[in-house]
Amino acid sequence: MFRHLAGASALLLILAGAAAAQDHDHDHEDVTLYRVFVGDHEKGQVTAFDLSAPDHRWTFPTTGQAKLYSVAGGAVVAAVQSDADTVQFIQSGISLHDHGDHRDIEVVDPAAIDASLTGPRPFHLVDHDGKVVLNYDNGGYAEILDGAALAEGKVEPVKFPQARAHHGFVAPLGGNWLSTVASDEKVEGDASVPRLGLQAFDAEGRSAGELATCTAIHGEAFSGAYLAAGCKEGVLTVRAGASGPEYRLLPYPAELPQGVTTGTLLGSTGIQVFLGNYGPDGLVVIDPVDEPHYRYIKLPFRRVDFALDPAKPSTGYVLTEDGSLRRIDLLKAEIAAGAKVTEPYSMDGHWNDPRPRIAMAGGEILVTDPNAGLVRRLSAEDLTERGTVPVGGAPYTIAVTGGSGLTH
């Protein structure tokens, strides 16, 4: 049975666009605003616009193609440019401040932060517990940023050393730092360094626990008390215990398709559950506590992208290569509805070819459509198209910030 998370109701009200404010002066205005950031596939550029006024927009140059993340409570958008060895930051211009019975919202224009990070192939970004962590796949280290300082435009990284450069991640949990660990095995050419598992360290990179085996570890997400990561053997879950991290490997059951694994995980914010990929044409709902730990969803076509709805914690969406968007009911582990939303985008070819990406903005699902040069706005209620936002070029990665609050 999925655990409902404390405080989720208030969060859902905010994300759904409802302000829970009472007995406030008449000069307070209730505002809902979502700001959308779109990275172009072909040129170094991020386009930002307000969803309520799409013609109100800004353009930010980047060094290269960027994957976008909303971090620091939505105050900042990180543009991770793996092929350009750069991470740039944009202040979103939207700040939300919790006051218990209501939330205030402050809105200004977005602005690029002058300082950036550079290093050998930044890739995985983890935003958790007030920290933003970048792993440098070819550097053998990660860099840790304080989220509150970053929201104020301060880029002050602290280096976290790793024993060997590899494609991995570093994440805070309790009083420890969890880092993926690579083998010391020699590799030839561009071959990937084998990954062994996850281990706890202190802030200086000194071991603080034994290695938890998770071969070929890839992908990470938080939900409730748990961090989960995909492995060759199953999914490794971790929670903070009285004497350090408590690990539990959930082996893939025999009834799941064999020869494939989970490598991308999303964690719900309202119930303790994860949604992961499972092979090219499947998804799996993962309960870290109760059995059955895995429930498989077979897709009719290969998966292009998938996302969770923060306003509806038991709901996810998946876009498949036939151009259809399907709603996923996590409680039932089944497809609940579907609609055709784009032209087909084949998954044959390079993994980084321009294909649609999904993001949520209150009651809307936003889908980039690189071939059409626009962002499609879909109703989360019935998956119908509400409109489109032409942005030109090849809109690819997407991040959304904002919500609802009171202005003073």
Side-chain angles (χ1 to χ4, degrees):
M1 180 181 295
F2 299 129
R3 268 65 172 172
H4 290 267
L5 304 182
S9 298
L11 176 63
L12 299 186
L13 288 174
I14 292 297
L15 294 173
Q22 299 177 349
D23 299 327
H24 290 284
D25 296 339
H26 64 277
D27 61 342
H28 295 177
E29 182 182 359
D30 189 355
V31 172
T32 298
L33 178 66
Y34 291 95
R35 186 163 284 166
V36 183
F37 295 78
V38 180
D40 192 271
H41 186 275
E42 297 173 351
K43 55 186 174 181
Q45 177 177 297
V46 174
T47 300
F49 60 86
D50 289 341
L51 192 59
S52 56
D55 291 336
H56 191 206
R57 61 180 60 189
W58 304 262
T59 301
F60 300 94
T62 58
T63 304
Q65 183 193 115
K67 184 173 182 179
L68 304 180
Y69 298 84
S70 173
V71 300
V76 174
V77 171
V80 179
Q81 301 154 65
S82 301
D83 292 338
D85 295 339
T86 302
V87 183
Q88 292 170 262
F89 301 96
I90 303 168
Q91 288 179 308
S92 70
I94 300 178
S95 299
L96 296 169
H97 306 280
D98 187 14
H99 293 286
D101 66 336
H102 73 284
R103 181 169 288 188
D104 288 347
I105 186 171
E106 296 179 14
V107 181
V108 298
D109 285 351
I113 296 176
D114 290 336
S116 61
L117 300 178
T118 58
R121 195 164 179 78
F123 209 96
H124 275 290
L125 180 149
V126 175
D127 180 22
H128 183 69
D129 200 20
K131 303 297 182 183
V132 179
V133 190
L134 277 302
N135 195 88
Y136 292 88
D137 287 3
N138 293 338
Y141 65 91
E143 287 188 316
I144 302 166
L145 300 171
D146 181 77
L150 185 60
E152 297 176 356
K154 301 174 183 177
V155 180
E156 300 168 339
V158 175
K159 186 170 288 188
F160 178 91
Q162 296 168 315
R164 187 180 187 184
H166 66 282
H167 181 58
F169 66 86
V170 174
L173 184 72
N176 298 111
W177 290 93
L178 299 180
S179 175
T180 52
V181 175
S183 164
D184 58 6
E185 173 185 332
K186 291 184 178 181
V187 295
E188 300 294 334
D190 295 330
S192 297
V193 176
R195 300 182 297 275
L196 302 179
L198 200 61
Q199 188 171 356
F201 296 87
D202 65 15
E204 284 70 44
R206 294 184 295 254
S207 174
E210 297 299 318
L211 176 73
T213 299
C214 179
T215 307
I217 184 170
H218 189 279
E220 78 294 320
F222 285 90
S223 182
Y226 287 87
L227 177 148
C231 321
K232 183 178 180 180
E233 304 88 354
V235 169
L236 181 68
T237 66
V238 197
R239 66 176 182 176
S243 57
E246 297 176 352
Y247 302 95
R248 184 183 183 190
L249 180 68
L250 307 177
Y252 299 124
E255 60 267 24
L256 262 61
Q258 300 299 298
V260 294
T261 63
T262 293
T264 301
L265 288 160
L266 305 176
S268 175
T269 56
I271 56 177
Q272 195 164 258
V273 65
F274 298 90
L275 181 64
N277 67 326
Y278 196 76
D281 58 356
L283 295 171
V284 64
V285 180
I286 303 166
D287 186 328
V289 178
D290 297 323
E291 295 184 351
H293 295 299
Y294 295 92
R295 291 183 296 158
Y296 178 68
I297 302 170
K298 178 71 167 66
L299 301 174
F301 294 91
R302 288 177 293 185
R303 179 193 61 259
V304 176
D305 194 27
F306 65 113
L308 292 178
D309 190 337
K312 299 176 181 178
S314 62
T315 300
Y317 302 93
V318 58
L319 183 75
T320 50
E321 63 182 344
D322 65 324
S324 294
L325 184 72
R326 293 175 170 84
R327 181 187 295 119
I328 302 297
D329 185 328
L330 272 67
L331 298 180
K332 297 180 180 179
E334 65 182 25
I335 297 172
K340 189 73 178 293
V341 298
T342 71
E343 66 177 68
Y345 279 85
S346 173
M347 291 303 293
D348 291 331
H350 194 273
W351 67 268
N352 193 40
D353 285 343
R355 300 183 182 94
R357 294 292 180 263
I358 306 171
M360 299 300 302
E364 292 191 28
I365 309 159
L366 306 183
V367 179
T368 60
D369 194 339
N371 289 348
L374 49 79
V375 175
R376 298 187 182 275
R377 303 175 59 176
L378 310 173
S379 166
E381 290 298 321
D382 57 15
L383 306 184
T384 58
E385 187 170 278
R386 290 182 173 180
T388 61
V389 181
V391 294
Y396 183 38
T397 58
I398 183 170
V400 177
T401 67
S404 297
L406 298 177
T407 62
H408 296 271

